[in-house]
Amino acid sequence: GAVVSQHPSWVICKSGTSVKIECRSLDFQATTMFWYRQFPKQSLMLMATSNEGSKATYEQGVEKDKFLINHASLTLSTLTVTSAHPEDSSFYICSARVIAGWSYEQYFGPGTRLTVT
Amino acid sequence: DAKTTQPTSMDCAEGRAANLPCNHSTISGNEYVYWYRQIHSQGPQYIIHGLKNNETNEMASLIITEDRKSSTLILPHATLRDTAVYYCIVRGLAGYGGATNKLIFGTGTLLAVQP
């Protein structure tokens, strides 16, 4: 299957600082990318959907000013957690999607573990 | 909300077939059944998807009932590395807008392969 990478794989930051996470589709172009968040022992929760060159669409309850998403190209999307607080500590996972006939192919990155101290 | 129901957990002996059930009684005609799995602390991995016919690939087989209200994912020879949470997700056809096009994860089934 196709490969999606994330960088960094883990990050520790101090409360009040901002953190940027990169997501890249390495061997395909993704028209749509997604960002998920996962707390310990819970399932993945979709945060936002982004299409290349347009503004991201956020799920209900996700603060768009806190979680800034930029989808500058068909192979790169970034998530910036602004003014991070300990409650933002989580596992952030990106995903990239392409259309294949009548269905989708969607692949996930390995995740980024964010710890805010 | 997820449109599927899966058992919380299952055990399987190493080398045996693992059969993971999923109920999706409200599935509509323009929705596929997708299966992903997540090994601890990793991103989800695509396994297989189908619309109404049974599907097989190098990882697994997907059996969909004729009425499409349930399906079973079959791992033919489970290994310890197959221990993971398996998610069954219903998703709309490409080109259809709205929430049904997104991968919305439920709680999944924790498959524990025993030596």
Side-chain angles (χ1 to χ4, degrees):
Chain A
V3 179
V4 176
S5 71
Q6 279 184 244
H7 178 80
S9 55
W10 59 271
V11 57
I12 301 173
C13 72
K14 293 188 175 180
S15 187
T17 62
S18 295
V19 174
K20 180 185 285 188
I21 303 170
E22 286 189 353
C23 174
R24 294 182 184 271
S25 55
L26 297 186
D27 49 3
F28 67 101
Q29 292 185 328
T31 51
T32 304
M33 288 188 171
F34 303 86
W35 287 94
Y36 291 79
R37 179 168 55 179
Q38 186 175 33
F39 293 108
K41 299 189 185 303
Q42 295 186 20
S43 187
L44 285 80
M45 185 187 76
L46 179 64
M47 299 175 67
T49 303
S50 73
N51 292 294
E52 182 260 343
S54 61
K55 288 185 178 180
T57 302
Y58 292 82
E59 295 298 305
Q60 191 172 6
V62 178
E63 300 175 59
K64 63 179 181 179
D65 295 329
K66 181 169 186 60
F67 299 100
L68 302 180
I69 293 172
N70 183 275
H71 192 162
S73 75
L74 290 173
T75 60
L76 173 64
S77 177
T78 60
L79 169 69
T80 302
V81 183
T82 63
S83 185
H85 288 96
E87 57 265 30
D88 299 322
S89 298
S90 189
F91 192 48
Y92 291 87
I93 307 168
C94 75
S95 181
R97 185 181 81 181
V98 295
I99 294 175
W102 285 105
S103 64
Y104 292 108
E105 294 181 358
Q106 186 164 339
Y107 303 96
F108 288 80
T112 296
R113 188 158 305 279
L114 169 64
T115 302
V116 184
T117 60
Chain B
D1 292 332
K3 297 177 63 175
T4 62
T5 304
Q6 300 177 252
T8 303
S9 63
M10 294 180 63
D11 286 346
C12 176
E14 190 177 18
R16 305 297 294 268
N19 297 285
L20 291 92
C22 178
N23 286 323
H24 31 79
S25 58
T26 61
I27 193 170
S28 64
N30 63 356
E31 291 179 320
Y32 279 83
V33 179
Y34 283 77
W35 284 83
Y36 283 79
R37 72 179 182 184
Q38 186 179 26
I39 295 170
H40 183 62
S41 294
Q42 297 183 23
Q45 177 188 23
Y46 166 79
I47 301 173
I48 200 167
H49 73 280
L51 184 61
K52 55 182 178 180
N53 297 322
N54 297 338
E55 302 287 341
T56 295
N57 63 20
E58 64 277 6
M59 287 184 67
S61 294
L62 173 60
I63 309 298
I64 302 174
T65 58
E66 194 168 341
D67 63 8
R68 301 185 69 241
K69 293 185 176 182
S70 64
S71 61
T72 301
L73 178 74
I74 301 173
L75 308 179
H77 305 287
T79 71
L80 298 179
R81 286 180 292 184
D82 291 322
T83 292
V85 178
Y86 287 77
Y87 296 98
C88 168
I89 304 170
V90 166
R91 181 204 214 150
L93 292 175
Y96 281 78
T100 187
N101 270 340
K102 305 173 188 176
L103 279 180
I104 304 299
F105 287 79
T107 53
T109 296
L110 174 59
L111 175 68
V113 180
Q114 309 291 343

